[in-house]
């Protein structure tokens, strides 16, 4: 795809955008695995349409609310990358393109407040308590809300740390409140194979929640905190870092991109990404 990026876009952001846009052949195979395209059938709600919208924004063409809303509809799941024959790194282009779109078409105040509220709630210890309250009130809720309440967790028992082989567990944020049994099940399975899961008390959200909700600086802060928290465990012999949420695992793999401009952490981020399971 031909590009005419302005000189105002420079550095690694320009390289990322140019490489991704030139690689795209506009074949549309990505739409076959895009959940939002499958749901709507609309070109702008698929990767190919979004790539064109981002290209226009990066080239300085007018950006409207429709452009921003189409990008907001992206789940960031990267399923499109699994079927792209040209190897387009859509997620890297999306990061650069969304920033350009938001600069040209800022989000309305109500939208910014909603996203700030979601970030605050998801990262709050109160999320688990509110999930429990929602389950208690589930029979009284309207059907539209009832279906959104996460089910009660199953058996959450976890074996003690008792093996020489250890893996660091990402406890996370939303999953810990809505589906705590996932991590417990992982601990029980690995325990049978002679591996104990250990946690770092200071670690928490991988950064995906703020990263996907217009708060890249906050995501970087969380990434640095996790790197600092996991370092002693990894230096003490832990073999890897385990994420039982696919979205969290993907975001951990992207730490080198997230911290690429931080000389104190970018090499540590690369080493961590290689240890993520």
């Amino acid at each position: 795809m031909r590009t005419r990026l302005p000189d105002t876009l420079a550095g690694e952001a320009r390289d990322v955008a140019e490489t991704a846009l030139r690689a795209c052949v506009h074949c549309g195979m990505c739409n076959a695995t895009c959940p939002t395209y499958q749901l709507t059938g609309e070109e702008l709600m698929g990767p190919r349409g979004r790539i064109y919208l981002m290209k226009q924004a990066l080239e300085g063409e007018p950006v409207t609310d429709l452009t921003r809303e189409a990008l907001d509809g992206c789940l960031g799941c990267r399923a499109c990358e699994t079927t792209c024959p040209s190897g387009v790194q859509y997620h890297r282009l999306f990061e650069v393109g969304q920033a350009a779109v938001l600069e040209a078409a800022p989000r309305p105040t109500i939208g910014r407040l909603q996203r700030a509220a979601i970030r605050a709630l998801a990262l709050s210890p109160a999320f688990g308590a509110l999930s429990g309250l929602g389950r208690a009130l589930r029979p009284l809720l309207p059907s539209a809300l009832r279906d959104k309440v996460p089910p009660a967790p199953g058996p959450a028992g976890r074996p003690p740390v008792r093996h020489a082989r250890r893996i660091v567990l990402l406890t996370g944020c939303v999953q810990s409140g809505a589906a705590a049994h996932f991590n417990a099940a992982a601990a029980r399975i690995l325990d049978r194979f002679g591996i104990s899961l250990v946690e770092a008390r200071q670690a928490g959200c991988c950064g995906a929640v703020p990263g996907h909700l217009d708060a890249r600086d906050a995501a970087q802060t969380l990434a640095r905190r996790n790197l600092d928290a996991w370092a002693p465990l990894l230096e003490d012999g832990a073999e890897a870092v385990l994420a039982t949420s696919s979205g969290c695992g993907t975001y951990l793999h992207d730490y080198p991109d997230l911290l690429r401009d931080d000389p104190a952490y970018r090499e540590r981020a690369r080493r961590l990404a290689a240890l993520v399971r």
Side-chain angles (χ1 to χ4, degrees):
M1 188 184 294
R2 290 187 59 186
T3 61
R4 301 184 306 277
L5 299 178
D7 293 337
T8 51
L9 185 65
E12 188 161 354
R14 183 186 184 90
D15 294 341
V16 167
E18 203 157 44
T19 300
L21 290 173
R22 289 186 186 279
C24 179
V25 296
H26 204 58
C27 65
M29 290 182 68
C30 52
N31 286 340
T33 49
C34 174
T36 54
Y37 180 82
Q38 294 300 312
L39 184 66
T40 66
E42 297 179 12
E43 177 69 12
L44 296 185
M45 292 302 285
R48 181 171 60 179
R50 291 181 178 119
I51 286 174
Y52 256 100
L53 291 174
M54 289 186 283
K55 177 178 181 291
Q56 291 173 342
L58 290 166
E59 290 178 342
E61 295 188 27
V63 174
T64 66
D65 291 347
L66 178 64
T67 303
R68 189 185 64 244
E69 290 165 7
L71 297 192
D72 282 349
C74 177
L75 302 177
C77 67
R78 296 173 59 181
C80 55
E81 295 183 14
T82 68
T83 49
C84 177
S86 302
V88 175
Q89 291 189 308
Y90 172 86
H91 71 287
R92 301 190 76 197
L93 173 64
F94 187 85
E95 177 193 317
V96 176
Q98 187 182 44
V101 167
L102 289 176
E103 184 177 353
R107 200 176 299 285
T109 300
I110 185 66
R112 293 198 299 272
L113 291 175
Q114 286 174 337
R115 286 171 175 251
I118 293 172
R119 293 195 303 266
L121 177 61
L123 272 61
S124 168
F127 183 85
L130 290 173
S131 296
L133 179 62
R135 286 190 287 270
L137 298 177
R138 197 171 188 271
L140 306 177
L141 296 176
S143 58
L145 287 177
R146 192 183 309 136
D147 295 339
K148 296 180 185 299
V149 176
R158 286 178 55 174
V161 176
R162 57 186 173 183
H163 301 292
R165 295 187 65 190
R166 286 161 291 129
I167 289 178
V168 180
L169 175 68
L170 169 71
T171 51
C173 51
V174 173
Q175 182 174 290
S176 296
H181 56 294
F182 285 1
N183 285 343
R188 292 194 297 271
I189 291 170
L190 289 172
D191 180 69
R192 292 195 175 201
F193 287 91
I195 301 172
S196 289
L197 289 185
V198 294
E199 298 178 12
R201 189 175 302 230
Q202 300 85 355
C205 173
C206 67
V209 171
H212 292 318
L213 293 172
D214 305 344
R216 184 177 172 82
D217 289 348
Q220 291 172 329
T221 298
L222 291 172
R224 294 186 190 101
R225 184 186 71 182
N226 288 339
L227 288 170
D228 289 338
W230 293 332
L233 294 172
L234 294 170
E235 291 169 2
D236 194 39
E239 300 175 21
V241 173
L242 174 69
T244 59
S245 162
S246 59
C248 294
T250 298
Y251 208 76
L252 292 179
H253 276 296
D254 286 343
Y255 272 15
D257 266 343
L258 183 66
L259 299 173
R260 62 173 177 253
D261 296 324
D262 187 335
Y265 280 88
R266 62 188 172 207
E267 186 55 38
R268 293 173 62 185
R270 289 192 189 100
R271 291 197 298 268
L272 182 280
L275 295 174
V276 174
R277 301 292 182 267

